[in-house]
């Protein structure tokens, strides 16, 4: 027993020595792997702002002619996208940049999150999400898509030089050097390389590689940290009145401080930012909240008459002529009589839990009309609740009561909807695609296959023409847009004569 003791002691000593050497050996091995990986991995796989800029040297090319651009990342439904478009126009005008006009994104294809809860997608992530969806949208729609400037008429702003714009497709061609039409018409053998180029360009534009000198400045400020102002008599960098409360800070472990910053001083007074070819914002959505604004608080500019004029003009931006005509035609030729409009948002987000209050407002309006209006009362209904699901709701009750009510709805297959969609795709598309397709007939057939979805836009116009009044869903941006259109009386005889 005693003879075995020294051997056990010797074994323990060797074992301890080996275990103590093991971490050093592993560490040395890891260093060797990292060294070999770095030495033999192409530089392109370690992107940086510098290497990314080298891949896209067009920032210094004659294709851009020294022009400076402003891009942004819209999100959510069309009404939110329209709100951001207005803010983008304002920002581009203040900063004297050409606005990159994005495609109209699919409803809720990209989400921001909640500014009041300080839970939002980061600027880099939302820029990348918008880029990816835009490219996929263009590819899926075979390069026939509607941009915000196709749907919304900004011709007066452009002609009066209040803002300069460039279409997304043209911008990609000039800045990335990529023809997006090749997504739709090139052979499969070229598409893999094309997708790689687009992914690289999108990553650079999104700020994933950081900023590139004199080429790109990707704005990292968002609604959690910043409220943009312009020419306000408040010290730049002052804390905003709305801040995260202590309970939220503890619960979410956040430490944001929201500060008010003058957008002109921030981006024009710094030469490194002002000289960048592209100034890339994230979301430009804002909304009133607790006595402040969630992100942009620019409602007047008395010291800058040009911007003051622009602020007034962008309060109401009309739909394109074809859309306005379609909405008015449905009101005059399909409904024919005086009518009221009910905009009922029932299925989306917060609204699905407020059916009772939404229907109550409609019921009160209807009961009032029954006393003063000849029967049946014509009601134009725009809702996200499918007609097959109306049964059991107040809408179902209205539909069954033919003596008192006559309901009208617009559907996607209605002729006025198809005409409005067709009007957005002007002759420019035909000319553009003739070099890829064999005949005009092939071009026209392709266009008819991918008509843009304009139902909501035409519904809003029709609703704004309701002479018996309007009931909208509380808190809905769609209802807010309709109220603005009604305020500007787009269905008056004076406006009618312009079509």
């Amino acid at each position: 027993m005693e003879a075995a003791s020294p051997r056990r002691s010797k074994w323990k000593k060797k074992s301890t020595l080996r275990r103590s050497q093991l971490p050093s050996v592993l560490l040395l091995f890891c260093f060797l792997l990292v060294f070999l990986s770095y030495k033999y991995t192409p530089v392109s796989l370690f992107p940086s702002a510098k290497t990314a800029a080298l891949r896209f040297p067009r920032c210094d090319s004659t294709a851009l002619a020294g022009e400076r651009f402003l891009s942004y990342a819209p999100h959510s439904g069309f009404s939110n996208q329209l709100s951001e478009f207005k803010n983008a126009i304002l920002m581009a005008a203040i900063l004297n940049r050409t606005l990159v006009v994005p495609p109209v994104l699919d409803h809720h294809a990209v989400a921001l999150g909640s500014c009041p809860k300080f839970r939002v997608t980061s600027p880099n992530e939302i820029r990348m999400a918008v880029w990816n969806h835009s490219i996929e949208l263009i590819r899926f729609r075979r390069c026939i898509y509607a941009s915000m400037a196709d749907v919304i008429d900004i011709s007066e702003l452009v002609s009066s030089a209040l803002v300069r714009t460039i279409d997304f497709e043209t911008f990609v061609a000039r800045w990335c050097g990529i023809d997006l039409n090749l997504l739709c018409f090139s052979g499969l053998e070229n598409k893999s390389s094309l997708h790689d180029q687009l992914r690289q360009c999108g990553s650079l534009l999104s700020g994933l590689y950081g900023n590139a000198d004199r080429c790109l400045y990707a704005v990292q400020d968002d609604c959690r940290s910043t409220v943009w102002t312009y020419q306000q008599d408040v010290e730049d960098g002052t804390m905003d009145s709305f801040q995260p409360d202590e309970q939220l800070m503890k619960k979410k472990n956040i430490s944001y401080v929201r500060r008010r910053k003058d957008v002109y001083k921030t981006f024009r007074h710094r030469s490194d930012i002002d000289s960048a070819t592209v100034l890339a914002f994230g979301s430009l959505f804002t909304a009133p909240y607790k006595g402040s604004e969630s992100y942009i608080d620019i409602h007047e500019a008395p010291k800058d008459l040009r911007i003051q004029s622009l602020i007034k003009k962008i309060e109401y931006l009309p739909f394109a002529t074809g859309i306005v005509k379609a909405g008015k035609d449905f009101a005059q030729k399909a409904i024919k009589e005086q009518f009221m409009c009910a905009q009922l948002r029932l299925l989306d987000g917060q609204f699905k839990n407020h059916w009772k209050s939404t229907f109550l407002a409609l019921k009160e309006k209807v009961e009032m009309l029954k006393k003063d209006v000849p029967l049946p009362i014509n009601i134009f209904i725009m809702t996200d609740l499918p007609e097959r699901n109306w049964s059991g709701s107040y809408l179902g009750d209205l539909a069954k009561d033919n003596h008192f009510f006559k309901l009208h709805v617009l559907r996607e297959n209605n002729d006025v909807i198809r005409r409005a969609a067709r009007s957005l795709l002007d002759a420019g598309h035909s000319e553009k695609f003739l070099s890829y397709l064999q005949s005009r007939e092939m071009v026209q057939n392709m266009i008819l296959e991918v008509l843009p979805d304009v139902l909501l836009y035409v519904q809003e116009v029709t609703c704004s023409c309701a002479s018996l009044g309007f009931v909208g869903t509380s808190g809905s941006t769609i209802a807010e847009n309709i109220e603005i259109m009604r305020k500007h009386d787009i269905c008056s005889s004076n406006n009618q004569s312009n079509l």
Side-chain angles (χ1 to χ4, degrees):
M1 294 291 292
E2 292 179 3
S5 180
R7 284 197 294 269
R8 283 199 300 269
S9 176
K10 185 178 180 181
W11 167 251
K12 286 181 181 178
K13 188 173 182 179
K14 286 183 178 179
S15 177
T16 303
L17 181 62
R18 288 171 183 166
R19 283 198 299 268
S20 66
Q21 290 175 335
L22 188 59
S24 300
V25 173
L26 286 175
L27 189 61
L28 182 62
F29 181 73
C30 289
F31 271 121
L32 184 61
L33 278 179
V34 170
F35 174 78
L36 291 174
S37 299
Y38 184 85
K39 182 176 178 63
Y40 294 104
T41 300
V43 175
S44 61
L45 296 182
F46 293 93
S48 66
K50 185 175 181 180
T51 57
L54 290 175
R55 293 197 198 105
F56 301 97
R58 298 175 72 87
C59 277
D60 300 321
S61 74
T62 55
L64 299 179
E67 198 166 0
R68 299 177 312 130
F69 302 92
L70 184 147
S71 66
Y72 70 104
H75 62 86
S76 301
F78 176 77
S79 297
N80 281 7
Q81 293 179 50
L82 175 56
S83 172
E84 291 187 85
F85 186 48
K86 293 178 179 180
N87 289 331
I89 290 172
L90 181 59
M91 291 293 210
I94 291 173
L95 300 175
N96 192 26
R97 287 179 173 269
T98 299
L99 175 62
V100 180
V101 179
V104 177
L105 306 185
D106 289 337
H107 187 72
H108 290 323
V110 179
L112 173 65
S114 172
C115 286
K117 295 180 180 179
F118 291 78
R119 187 182 67 242
V120 297
T121 306
S122 73
N124 284 358
E125 290 174 327
I126 198 167
R127 281 189 287 259
M128 195 70 234
V130 169
W131 172 272
N132 287 337
H133 179 67
S134 298
I135 298 301
E136 184 61 22
L137 184 71
I138 291 169
R139 184 194 66 81
F140 177 74
R141 299 194 63 81
R142 302 182 69 181
C143 295
I144 302 175
Y145 65 94
S147 78
M148 287 301 298
D150 291 325
V151 175
I152 300 298
D153 185 0
I154 59 170
S155 57
E156 182 182 348
L157 302 182
V158 174
S159 62
S160 59
L162 284 171
V163 67
R164 302 186 306 274
T165 63
I166 183 172
D167 183 72
F168 176 77
E169 181 182 334
T170 306
F171 172 74
V172 171
R174 290 175 61 185
W175 201 74
C176 303
I178 300 172
D179 181 359
L180 286 179
N181 291 318
L182 296 177
L183 274 177
C184 308
F185 300 105
S186 66
L188 291 175
E189 66 279 2
N190 297 323
K191 287 188 177 179
S192 177
S193 172
L194 185 63
H195 278 290
D196 287 342
Q197 293 177 55
L198 285 169
R199 185 164 49 251
Q200 291 176 2
C201 189
S203 298
L204 175 61
L205 269 172
S206 300
L208 299 186
Y209 298 157
N211 298 323
D213 290 345
R214 304 185 65 82
C215 189
L216 171 82
Y217 186 86
V219 179
Q220 300 302 330
D221 303 78
D222 61 24
C223 62
R224 294 171 293 186
S225 62
T226 305
V227 178
W228 295 117
T229 64
Y230 180 57
Q231 293 186 342
Q232 293 186 6
D233 295 326
V234 178
E235 184 179 354
D236 202 38
T238 300
M239 290 179 62
D240 186 60
S241 60
F242 171 60
Q243 301 290 338
D245 57 40
E246 291 186 10
Q247 183 179 0
L248 181 64
M249 292 174 71
K250 290 180 180 178
K251 182 178 179 181
K252 300 296 182 180
N253 192 27
I254 60 176
S255 57
Y256 294 106
V257 176
R258 283 166 45 90
R259 297 191 180 278
R260 301 177 69 82
K261 298 181 182 179
D262 187 290
V263 67
Y264 188 91
K265 293 177 181 177
T266 300
F267 297 116
R268 291 303 305 270
H269 285 189
R270 281 184 54 180
S271 60
D272 59 324
I273 301 178
D274 193 44
S275 62
T277 302
V278 178
L279 179 64
F281 279 90
S283 165
L284 287 178
F285 179 76
T286 192
Y289 192 76
K290 290 190 174 181
S292 183
E293 286 280 348
S294 58
Y295 190 48
I296 300 172
D297 189 6
I298 306 175
H299 300 287
E300 59 180 1
K303 301 175 186 177
D304 188 334
L305 297 182
R306 174 173 165 271
I307 298 301
Q308 182 66 32
S309 171
L310 179 62
I311 290 172
K312 185 176 180 180
K313 288 180 180 295
I314 64 175
E315 178 192 9
Y316 167 61
L317 293 178
F319 281 113
T321 301
I323 293 172
V324 175
K325 185 178 187 307
K328 290 182 176 181
D329 282 351
F330 187 79
Q332 295 167 359
K333 299 176 182 179
I335 301 178
K336 299 179 183 178
E337 308 288 340
Q338 58 180 353
F339 67 98
M340 71 160 288
C341 173
Q343 179 265 332
L344 308 170
R345 195 170 177 184
L346 301 170
L347 299 182
D348 192 22
Q350 60 179 337
F351 305 103
K352 60 186 177 183
N353 299 320
H354 296 88
W355 282 37
K356 185 176 180 180
S357 59
T358 301
F359 282 134
L360 179 60
L362 174 59
K363 189 172 184 178
E364 290 175 349
K365 178 68 175 179
V366 165
E367 292 301 318
M368 183 178 67
L369 287 176
K370 284 169 67 175
K371 301 174 183 177
D372 304 321
V373 177
L375 302 178
I377 301 171
N378 288 277
I379 306 176
F380 177 64
I381 303 291
M382 54 179 300
T383 180
D384 53 356
L385 184 67
E387 288 181 63
R388 63 180 180 275
N389 296 333
W390 286 10
S391 179
S393 71
Y394 184 58
L395 276 178
D397 296 340
L398 292 176
K400 288 188 295 185
D401 197 342
N402 296 326
H403 175 70
F404 283 98
F405 310 108
K406 184 177 181 180
L407 305 190
H408 304 267
V409 294
L410 257 172
R411 300 180 180 89
E412 292 179 352
N413 59 355
N414 192 287
D415 285 343
V416 297
I417 298 298
R418 293 183 64 81
R419 286 199 300 271
R422 188 70 182 83
S423 72
L424 295 186
L425 307 178
D426 57 21
H429 285 90
S430 299
E431 298 302 323
K432 181 172 68 172
F433 296 142
L434 272 177
S435 59
Y436 298 100
L437 299 174
Q438 297 176 358
S439 68
R440 289 185 181 275
E441 183 179 359
M442 291 180 66
V443 173
Q444 295 302 318
N445 289 338
M446 187 181 74
I447 288 176
L448 290 174
E449 290 175 3
V450 289
L451 289 176
D453 183 3
V454 300
L455 178 61
L456 174 64
Y457 320 145
V458 179
Q459 285 178 325
E460 289 190 15
V461 174
T462 299
C463 204
S464 70
C465 294
S467 57
L468 294 182
F470 167 63
V471 174
T473 303
S474 177
S476 168
T477 51
I478 296 174
E480 292 172 6
N481 286 344
I482 294 171
E483 291 285 13
I484 291 174
M485 294 169 70
R486 291 177 64 81
K487 175 183 173 182
H488 285 81
D489 198 18
I490 70 164
C491 289
S492 68
S493 56
N494 290 335
N495 286 322
Q496 182 72 22
S497 63
N498 294 331
L499 295 178

